[in-house]
Amino acid sequence: MRIVVRLCQWLFGAVFVFSGVVKCIDPKGTAIKMGDYLRAMEIGGFDNLLLPISWIACMGELLLGLYVLFGWKRKPVWRISLAVMLCFTGLTLWLALTNAVSDCGCFGDAVILSNWATFWKNVILLSLLIVMGFGSELMWSPQTAKLESLQPVWGMLLGLVLCWVGTYRLPFIDFRPYRPGVNIQQAMGMNAGVEWEEIYNVIYEKDGRQVEFSLDSLPEEEDGWEFVDQAVHRKPKNPDGALSEQGQTEPSIKDFFVINGAGEDITMDFLQDTLYKFVLLSPDLGKIDDSDIPAVQAVYEYARREGYGFSCMTLREDSGLRQWIGRSRPVYPYVYSDATIIETIGRANPTLLLLKSGTILWKKALPEVNLKSLCNDKLSEQSYGKIEIIDRKMRFFGLIIFLFAPFILYLLIKTGKLFSTNITKK
């Protein structure tokens, strides 16, 4: 029985720790998913609170996982875990039945599960928790007050740093499909000869909340809905002829598109440009800090001097566009896309992206760009002109080692004491 209880404890704790870590890596993604939930439930008025709530939820999940994993504060932690799992299980059952949101986001973008798979995952976790409740006295726990004080604080500090980096820079590990080294056109599963069709939806607003509708399911204006804008999505006319670099049937990027100021689709021209192309990504130009303006101007001047492309990708209906133009006096071209696409590519506002022939060479928050190094030479002659290689598995492994550093130190000290005691006895 003891082995069963401890296996349940470690599995439940490990799942929560993993989920908490990957969410802390990308708290903006969690906030976006929370927004999807609220829109599906027709609840508004929380947009400005989503990111702070996301921080709290991500670090709370990590902390709960650590307490379960180490068997600390067993009864209160078990009660909290039970309440959380009952809420999660009920919510995911509703998602599975209604499909109101495409996926729950329980593991961020690191692991995508269907709604039914998520529900059954939660049923299993709830079952593990019930077993732990019946055998709480059999749970494993390292009996040391110092470790119990240090490990949770250490975990929270790491979670806080990851949340800050993921919010104000770029996520420490990029689980999204727009990673350095990805060719967007190939990730869409298409070659240049495939024809596209445009799907037109409309955006309506009610009580300060905007929702996108298809043309055959328009809301009633008598109910308070007001037309805001039109949305355009693209899909291949012959998806069976789609090509994929790995031979996959489901493209990892499905909805990428770019339009110009006249509303014309320029996606293929944008992706097939063989020159280096800098892209400044911003879902809200009005929120870019004034301190970033000189850096943007320096990169643009460098691109113009060397004959590279430079454009700003934002929203056509961006309310901060006029404000940005008045502050920065830009002369570079603008292209437009969807807010979800822009925020998926780069979480920072703004994000600087370098493309060549549709391949993402790198993307960075502006403060991360070494302007002196970048603007000192041609891109072909420096590291900034090459694909930034990031080993995601090694980063995640290193992150987990760092997370459990206090426990590892505790094991080393304990092992050392046992070893020295055995030598003394001999």
Side-chain angles (χ1 to χ4, degrees), residues 281-292:
L281 296 155
S282 174
D284 190 344
L285 289 167
K287 292 184 179 179
I288 295 180
D289 195 270
D290 286 343
S291 61
D292 288 330

Side-chain angles (χ1 to χ4, degrees), residues 225-300:
W225 291 99
E226 294 184 4
F227 174 79
V228 175
D229 200 359
Q230 177 178 280
V232 183
H233 301 285
R234 306 169 67 254
K235 70 175 185 178
K237 288 184 178 179
N238 53 335
D240 293 337
L243 299 178
S244 170
E245 188 177 14
Q246 291 83 25
Q248 62 190 29
T249 57
E250 187 74 12
S252 58
I253 297 176
K254 302 177 183 179
D255 55 0
F256 181 83
F257 71 92
V258 184
I259 57 177
N260 60 18
E264 300 169 334
D265 191 307
I266 59 169
T267 305
M268 286 305 165
D269 293 335
F270 187 84
L271 294 178
Q272 293 171 6
D273 190 344
T274 58
L275 297 175
Y276 287 109
K277 181 197 297 289
F278 289 98
V279 184
L280 185 72
L281 296 155
S282 174
D284 190 344
L285 289 167
K287 292 184 179 179
I288 295 180
D289 195 270
D290 286 343
S291 61
D292 288 330
I293 294 176
V296 173
Q297 189 63 28
V299 176
Y300 168 67

Side-chain angles (χ1 to χ4, degrees), residues 8 12-13 35 45 52 109 111 134 208 218 226 233 256 292 313 317 352 378 380 382 392 404:
C8 292
F12 185 95
D109 289 309
V111 179
F134 282 111
L218 298 179
E226 294 184 4
H233 301 285
F256 181 83
D292 288 330
M313 181 183 291
E317 66 276 11
L352 187 64
K378 292 182 177 296
S380 58
Q382 57 171 305
R392 293 186 296 158
F404 290 106

Side-chain angles (χ1 to χ4, degrees), residues 2-288:
R2 176 179 297 175
I3 295 176
V4 174
V5 170
R6 292 184 176 182
L7 285 176
C8 292
Q9 171 195 356
W10 292 331
L11 182 57
F12 185 95
V15 169
F16 263 65
V17 167
F18 174 78
S19 179
V21 168
V22 296
K23 285 177 181 174
C24 284
I25 288 172
D26 185 16
K28 278 192 173 181
T30 301
I32 292 171
K33 185 60 65 176
M34 287 179 175
D36 292 341
Y37 279 124
L38 293 178
R39 282 189 292 274
M41 298 175 184
E42 298 188 358
I43 300 175
F46 289 91
D47 290 353
N48 294 331
L49 298 175
L50 289 177
L51 191 55
I53 293 173
S54 172
W55 278 46
I56 295 171
C58 295
M59 290 189 290
E61 191 167 353
L62 173 58
L63 184 63
L64 190 61
L66 288 173
Y67 269 92
V68 172
L69 197 63
F70 288 100
W72 295 323
K73 313 291 185 188
R74 296 176 186 178
K75 289 186 177 180
V77 167
W78 185 85
R79 294 191 187 103
I80 294 172
S81 300
L82 180 63
V84 169
M85 285 310 306
L86 288 174
C87 290
F88 281 177
T89 305
L91 180 62
T92 52
L93 176 60
W94 170 73
L95 283 179
L97 292 172
T98 64
N99 205 34
V101 179
S102 59
D103 69 271
C104 76
C106 54
F107 297 122
D109 289 309
V111 179
I112 306 297
L113 298 176
S114 68
N115 287 332
W116 276 112
T118 301
F119 168 71
W120 290 115
K121 180 263 298 180
N122 285 339
V123 169
I124 293 172
L125 289 178
L126 189 58
S127 302
L128 298 178
L129 194 60
I130 292 172
V131 172
M132 290 160 52
F134 282 111
S136 59
E137 71 282 354
L138 301 176
M139 292 171 62
W140 171 83
S141 179
Q143 300 299 322
T144 166
K146 290 183 179 180
L147 181 62
E148 186 173 351
S149 300
L150 180 58
Q151 181 65 69
V153 173
W154 184 267
M156 285 298 94
L157 287 175
L158 178 60
L160 188 64
V161 170
L162 289 174
C163 283
W164 186 90
V165 171
T167 300
Y168 298 105
R169 294 293 184 264
L170 291 180
F172 181 68
I173 303 173
D174 194 346
F175 295 112
R176 293 156 293 155
Y178 298 93
R179 295 185 294 272
V182 169
N183 183 282
I184 298 176
Q185 187 174 324
Q186 291 179 353
M188 292 169 73
M190 311 308 301
N191 62 16
V194 175
E195 295 184 11
W196 297 78
E197 64 177 337
E198 295 180 345
I199 307 298
Y200 292 90
N201 291 343
V202 288
I203 300 173
Y204 277 76
E205 183 173 340
K206 179 182 178 181
D207 299 329
R209 181 172 55 90
Q210 294 187 358
V211 179
E212 187 173 317
F213 297 92
S214 63
L215 295 179
D216 57 357
S217 61
L218 298 179
E220 296 293 336
E221 295 187 358
E222 291 80 2
D223 295 335
W225 291 99
E226 294 184 4
F227 174 79
V228 175
D229 200 359
Q230 177 178 280
V232 183
H233 301 285
R234 306 169 67 254
K235 70 175 185 178
K237 288 184 178 179
N238 53 335
D240 293 337
L243 299 178
S244 170
E245 188 177 14
Q246 291 83 25
Q248 62 190 29
T249 57
E250 187 74 12
S252 58
I253 297 176
K254 302 177 183 179
D255 55 0
F256 181 83
F257 71 92
V258 184
I259 57 177
N260 60 18
E264 300 169 334
D265 191 307
I266 59 169
T267 305
M268 286 305 165
D269 293 335
F270 187 84
L271 294 178
Q272 293 171 6
D273 190 344
T274 58
L275 297 175
Y276 287 109
K277 181 197 297 289
F278 289 98
V279 184
L280 185 72
L281 296 155
S282 174
D284 190 344
L285 289 167
K287 292 184 179 179
I288 295 180

